[in-house]
Amino acid sequence: MESRLKVLGHPVHPMLVMFPAALLITAVLFDVIDTAGGPDFLGEVAYWNITVGLIGGLLAAAAGLFDLLAIPAGTRAKRVALTHAAANVAVILLFAAVWVVRLNADSRAAGGALIAIEVVALGILSVSAWLGGELVDRLGVGVDRDAHLDAPSSLRTSGSQ
């Protein structure tokens, strides 16, 4: 099933998911290092990574919604996609809760309880990432219908290479 939202012939959703995932993972690493006695600025950097990660996550979710809505009902792909989407919403909500707590705090440092929430969110994110891979690699969601090892460039509109 070909992606509904593309830029220069490539699906937008997979292009967008890497940024929030990387930012949120890095935020948790920085929070752990900060809590373990690392430089004080890491808590602040982690907070801003979460801020930008949430914005990127919402953009990725909007792009993913285009593909989700195009998947036929009653298929395994639809069930996997709905689970993938629900997991991503859970991740966004958990990190948003952490962000809200830190928003007006005296310090942007996370501390134990918030880091625990972040780690749970990363666990959910890892499951969701696997489900996203299942959608693309196993179920063919977002894959161009003419894809093959000698397919022409996505920038070409004709069948020639």
Side-chain angles (χ1 to χ4, degrees), residues 28 31-32 35 98 110-120:
V28 176
D31 278 338
V32 168
T35 302
V98 169
L114 293 180
I115 291 174
I117 293 169
E118 291 175 354
V119 169
V120 168

Side-chain angles (χ1 to χ4, degrees), residues 40-64:
D40 290 339
F41 71 89
L42 286 181
E44 182 78 22
V45 174
Y47 168 81
W48 287 106
N49 278 7
I50 292 170
T51 303
V52 178
L54 287 171
I55 294 166
L58 293 173
L59 292 172

Side-chain angles (χ1 to χ4, degrees), residues 97-108:
V98 169
W99 181 83
V100 167
V101 169
R102 294 167 82 166
L103 177 63
N104 293 316
D106 293 335
S107 167
R108 301 289 180 152

